[in-house]
Amino acid sequence: MKKRKIGSLEVSEIGMGCMGFSHGYGKVPEEAYSIEAIRKAYDFGCTFFDTAEVYGDVVFYPGHNEQLVGKAVKDFRKDIVLATKFFLHPDELADGTSIYEATRRHLEASLKNLDTDYVDLYYLHRVNQDVPFEEVAAVMGKLIQEGLIREWGMSQVGADTLARAHAITPVAAVQNLYSMVERDCEKDIFPYCLEHDIAVVPFSPIASGFLSGKIKSDTEFEKVDDVRKFVPQLSKENIIANQPILDILAEFSEKKHATNAQISLAWMLHKYPNVVPIPGSKNQERILENLGAANVELTDDEFRKLETALNACTVYGHRGHVETEQVDFGKNWEDEKKGQNKENKQ
């Protein structure tokens, strides 16, 4: 698989989001299956794996996904790039604890979970409006100097916030929502990142499966811990309304002997030299299919035709790429967690 750069790091041009093995898409596979899936992805050529301390907190516990990923990559840890993320809350600082001390605690927990002595790419999962992100940026610089992390990144931010943080400690990557049906990043994030050599790491690049064409208007999502219940494009009415986009993908996938999902990934790889998508799945077949998009190359003419067709479509349903902990898509999980905790106590 071809390589791309994230700051000083070299990664496969398509990475792997590992969240689904612990959180977000309903019932998870057996651990052995999940570990095998990650190892198969590595054998396929994937060298970039993404997790977060919070993945698993709805049904399991914080750190569940990091522990699973750590087990899976143990034998080839030095040959890959590991990314994880953390939240920083004001109550962690209430007793006089410094931002450095609080961040260091999160990082040390992740290092233990991942069974490693450094993290390649450490993200602030979301900006907290009550914790100065400029100070977090300064702390990240110190952690890089200490050799505990190699690069740092931010998630779900706009260009203004990114620029302020980048001026303090250079940001290597922005992990934002980006896909054919969530294109806000094209207005501010991509122009800024291209100018400043920052990688854009799209999560949900296949729109939680919508762009694969496998989700229908009558698809029933799982009741517990399934992000798809909250994805704007996946309401029944929007699945129907956005059908023209799937028709375009189907046309191109037939011509290229590829799948819809592969075309959607090939489109962004062709469009931006600094994009490194991290599609996620809990299904081994889908994981390898997504990674196989690296072998699907659009010609300039094919890309122009695809782009023109997409631009003519109206997208129904919108989430956006700027979120904080106070205004966060993740708030949807609060009732899930409360309900699950109540069930576990019974």
Side-chain angles (χ1 to χ4, degrees):
M1 196 182 297
K2 294 178 182 176
K3 303 295 184 181
R4 294 202 170 185
K5 298 288 286 186
I6 298 179
S8 62
L9 310 171
E10 186 177 76
V11 300
S12 53
E13 63 179 347
I14 299 176
M16 179 178 176
C18 298
M19 180 185 79
F21 299 127
S22 302
H23 162 66
Y25 290 93
K27 185 178 179 181
V28 303
E30 293 294 327
E31 182 179 284
Y33 178 93
S34 300
I35 288 174
E36 182 183 56
I38 293 170
R39 291 174 177 170
K40 283 184 176 180
Y42 173 73
D43 290 340
F44 192 93
C46 179
T47 60
F48 183 34
F49 297 88
D50 181 90
T51 180
E53 64 174 9
V54 74
Y55 295 161
D57 68 335
V58 175
V59 176
F60 300 101
Y61 51 85
H64 181 273
N65 197 247
E66 287 181 325
Q67 291 174 0
L68 190 152
V69 172
K71 290 178 185 178
V73 306
K74 187 175 180 64
D75 291 343
F76 47 85
R77 166 68 185 100
K78 301 298 182 182
D79 301 318
I80 63 168
V81 168
L82 268 182
T84 192
K85 303 177 279 294
F86 78 105
F87 286 97
L88 193 57
H89 305 293
D91 58 1
E92 299 179 65
L93 313 173
D95 62 355
T97 298
S98 69
I99 289 179
Y100 171 80
E101 290 169 330
T103 302
R104 180 74 183 254
R105 287 177 190 169
H106 283 278
L107 178 57
E108 288 176 352
S110 289
L111 291 173
K112 182 178 180 181
N113 287 332
L114 291 164
D115 192 19
T116 186
D117 53 8
Y118 67 96
V119 166
D120 298 287
L121 177 58
Y122 199 40
Y123 291 99
L124 179 62
H125 206 148
R126 294 288 186 276
V127 168
N128 189 305
Q129 295 172 7
D130 297 324
V131 179
F133 64 84
E134 294 94 342
E135 293 185 32
V136 177
V139 165
M140 291 295 194
K142 188 172 182 179
L143 294 173
I144 291 171
Q145 290 176 348
E146 293 172 344
L148 294 174
I149 66 174
R150 295 173 69 189
E151 299 284 3
W152 86 286
M154 305 184 81
S155 183
Q156 288 295 80
V157 295
D160 292 344
T161 297
L162 175 60
R164 288 164 60 187
H166 186 68
I168 296 168
T169 300
V171 177
V174 175
Q175 185 176 136
N176 274 13
L177 181 67
Y178 178 64
S179 71
M180 285 180 168
V181 292
E182 289 280 1
R183 294 176 64 174
D184 287 0
C185 283
E186 295 179 357
K187 301 171 186 175
D188 66 334
I189 283 295
F190 275 107
Y192 183 88
C193 289
L194 285 167
E195 182 180 353
H196 294 88
D197 294 321
I198 300 171
V200 179
V201 179
F203 70 88
S204 199
I206 307 171
S208 296
F210 170 73
L211 293 172
S212 72
K214 293 180 171 65
I215 296 176
K216 308 300 181 182
S217 60
D218 59 353
T219 298
E220 294 291 336
F221 302 125
E222 297 190 44
K223 292 182 179 180
V224 176
D225 198 22
D226 196 329
V227 69
R228 292 169 294 185
K229 293 182 297 187
F230 312 131
V231 172
Q233 293 88 16
L234 297 185
S235 69
K236 294 183 185 301
E237 59 271 21
N238 286 341
I239 289 174
I240 295 169
N242 287 320
Q243 184 61 43
I245 296 169
L246 299 183
D247 294 340
I248 292 167
L249 277 171
E251 179 184 344
F252 276 83
S253 63
E254 184 178 359
K255 290 178 181 177
K256 299 294 291 184
H257 304 289
T259 65
N260 284 18
Q262 289 174 335
I263 295 296
S264 71
L265 293 168
W267 164 80
M268 64 174 65
L269 288 172
H270 186 105
K271 188 166 187 174
Y272 294 112
N274 66 330
V275 73
V276 185
I278 50 168
S281 176
K282 59 183 183 180
N283 180 290
Q284 291 186 9
E285 185 180 350
R286 293 285 82 73
I287 290 165
L288 297 182
E289 173 190 328
N290 293 337
L291 293 174
N295 299 322
V296 179
E297 292 194 21
L298 298 172
T299 66
D300 289 342
D301 185 57
E302 287 170 337
F303 172 79
R304 281 192 296 269
K305 289 179 179 177
L306 178 54
E307 185 81 335
T308 299
L310 289 171
N311 289 340
C313 292
T314 298
V315 177
Y316 296 87
H318 179 253
R319 171 177 168 181
H321 73 299
V322 177
E323 293 177 2
T324 66
E325 286 195 61
Q326 283 75 12
V327 184
D328 187 2
F329 184 81
K331 295 294 184 186
N332 289 306
W333 297 112
E334 292 306 314
D335 289 340
E336 293 266 323
K337 293 178 189 176
K338 291 175 183 176
Q340 193 65 27
N341 289 337
K342 183 178 180 181
E343 182 177 316
N344 289 340
K345 290 177 182 179
Q346 291 176 346

